[in-house]
Each structure stands twice: as C-alpha cells, then as structure tokens.
Amino acid sequence: MRDMRIETGMITQASGSCRVSIDGGTDVLVGVKVEVASIEPDANAPGDDGDVAVGEEGVEEGVAGRDRDRGRIACTVECSPSATRVFDPRDVEEMSNEFSQLLERVLNGPHGGIDLKALCIVPGSTCWVLNIDALVLDYGGNLLDAIFLAIRGALHNTRIPRATVEYSDGHVEFEIADEETEIVKGWEDVPVGVTMNKIGSRHIVDATPIEELCAAARLTVAVNRRGNVCAVQKGGKGGIEPSLLAEMVQSSKHVGSALLERIDAALRQEVERIERREDPVGFRH
C-alpha cells in the first residue's frame, strides 16, 4: 500500500475530526458532530415493519425493539468539485449514496464496533446521534478505504458531553454538562475497509485510478481488530469466482489486521503530536 498521512482535530467546531491523505492524490476529511435527538417513534413499536436482525448470539430480534435503548449513527459522503473531474456527475451521486449507505449499515450493525447502547440517554425517548460527514477533497484511488480510516480517526478524536439523568415523581430529566466529556465507547472496535480490485484472474489492494478502471470487479471487506469480517460488499459489473472470492476475503483480513495496527500506532503518535504542537505524522504500510 502507498504511504498515508493522518491528522486529527482539524475542524474546531466539530466534536471530532480526522484527515487522511494517500500518496498519489486521495484526500479525505471526516467530521463528527454529536447532537441530542429523540428516539424515532417507529423504534417504540417493535415488529411493526417485520424486519429482523441477528444479534451477537445468533438470536433474531426486532430491529425496532432493539433500537429503543440505543443511539444511532448517520453518515454522509460528499465530493468536492475539484475531486470529481474524472467522474460523471451522475456517477458521483451514485457513489456517494452507495458509500453513505454502506457506512451506515456497518456502523449501526451488530459488528460496527460503536456501543450504541452507551449513546442512549433516556431509553425509549432520547439519545445521542453521531453525524459523520465525509468530504472527499481529492481523488487518487482507493477512496472507500481512506474514508473508513478517516472515520476511525475521527471517532478516536470525538468527545461526547456527559449526560446526567435524574428520575423524580415519575418524570425523567437529563442535563448535559458544559465541560465534562466522554470518549466514544467502542471506537477501537470500529472496522477498517479493505478493497480488493479484480484484474484478470488476480486481485490487488490500494488501487490507483488507472488500476480501478482496469478492474472488472471489486470487493470491499470490513475487518475489525480481532481479524473478524464485519461486512462484505461487491461492486463492479464483473463476476468473481467462488475460489477467488474466498482468497480475496482472506487477503483482506490479513491486510486489514496489519493496517489497524499501523493506524492505531499513528493515532497514538497523533495524540502526542497535538500535545507537543508539532507537525502531522504519517504511517507506512
């Protein structure tokens, strides 16, 4: 993989932020804004839509019922005009929607890492919502993987105000502290994305724009720090043979585990850099 550079705390008005740039052009800025919101009314009536989800223990549970005591994450991916010169505007819109939906499914899913229950303030009533906005500043290939990395860095940098809940005479009141903050619980379990592009009968990682144009299909695998596969999404018009698919997943797990070690080491250096007010650091994979 190409060299990467990471820097956190870029946006002063955000609850957390991170910028990731890849040698060769790709540059992504992610900001996280936390806000208090009502738990959606549909979440108070389990089973209304008939959807089910498989929990960590393999038991099916109503999605609506599960969300009554959990916060949620909203993701938006946008591209700046300067980053989209090589794309048709329609393709940019489709790509942004695809990436936004994938990120929301992963981060709100059972293996997204974030402790969604810790984002609940008053069960069935009020919760924290993490609004994650990713802005593509420049494009040089391997865009989705860079966004995953920037989200992990931004969540590491995010601080949530401490909420105090009081119960009195059947009423519930909560107060948001002005100074006290908490980290996002579970950020360290947020997966990174590893995209493998199929060219001919083989596959490559960290594709450049030209390599992406040569690829018949791509496979994005979300891998957490335990080496577990959290999500898989296939893209491109070509097919992937079952044997090659298994090989691509295994390669993604290997690359993802190594990448997580390096980005977490870079984040630790970034904390030290901020304390010393020094220039950003990079990390090599």
Side-chain angles (χ1 to χ4, degrees), residues 35-250:
E35 64 177 358
V36 177
S38 299
I39 293 180
E40 297 175 355
D42 291 342
N44 294 323
D48 284 351
D49 55 9
D51 289 340
V52 295
V54 180
E56 294 182 0
E57 301 300 327
V59 179
E60 290 188 341
E61 52 187 358
V63 172
R66 178 194 67 189
D67 290 344
R68 293 184 63 197
D69 61 347
R70 301 188 181 196
R72 60 185 183 273
I73 299 172
C75 299
T76 302
V77 177
E78 295 183 356
C79 293
S80 66
S82 61
T84 59
R85 295 189 301 270
V86 297
F87 294 112
D88 182 272
R90 193 179 310 169
D91 294 335
V92 172
E93 183 178 357
E94 291 179 358
M95 180 183 67
S96 298
N97 291 335
E98 176 189 351
F99 288 0
S100 300
Q101 293 171 9
L102 171 62
L103 293 168
E104 282 196 4
R105 287 199 303 270
V106 172
L107 296 176
N108 285 300
H111 305 295
I114 299 299
D115 186 352
L116 297 179
K117 287 189 175 182
L119 298 179
C120 180
I121 301 175
V122 180
S125 173
T126 312
C127 67
W128 289 109
V129 176
L130 302 185
N131 295 293
I132 300 178
D133 297 313
L135 176 62
V136 180
L137 302 173
D138 201 358
Y139 169 73
N142 201 24
L143 183 56
L144 184 55
D145 294 4
I147 294 175
F148 264 104
L149 290 173
I151 287 177
R152 184 177 177 85
L155 290 172
H156 168 267
N157 182 244
T158 297
R159 295 296 180 269
I160 302 176
R162 184 182 297 274
T164 304
V165 181
E166 295 183 357
Y167 298 87
S168 177
D169 298 329
H171 297 283
V172 181
E173 297 181 354
F174 64 91
E175 182 177 350
I176 306 298
D178 294 328
E179 300 293 337
E180 293 183 83
T181 60
E182 302 174 331
I183 65 172
V184 177
K185 293 183 178 179
W187 76 264
E188 62 276 5
D189 292 318
V190 170
V192 295
V194 179
T195 300
M196 294 285 175
N197 283 266
K198 176 191 174 185
I199 300 179
S201 61
R202 304 303 303 160
H203 56 279
I204 62 171
V205 69
D206 191 18
T208 64
I210 292 179
E211 290 170 336
E212 290 181 347
L213 290 173
C214 296
R218 67 178 183 274
L219 189 74
T220 299
V221 181
V223 182
N224 63 17
R225 60 174 178 158
R226 298 179 179 85
N228 297 328
V229 174
C230 303
V232 177
Q233 177 152 313
K234 186 261 183 188
K237 297 181 179 179
I240 303 176
E241 298 78 8
S243 59
L244 181 59
L245 177 66
E247 186 178 343
M248 293 170 74
V249 171
Q250 290 300 318

Side-chain angles (χ1 to χ4, degrees), residues 13-47:
Q13 298 302 315
S15 306
S17 59
C18 179
R19 181 179 182 180
V20 169
S21 57
I22 301 176
D23 283 358
T26 294
D27 198 347
V28 176
L29 178 63
V30 169
V32 179
K33 189 72 173 180
V34 301
E35 64 177 358
V36 177
S38 299
I39 293 180
E40 297 175 355
D42 291 342
N44 294 323

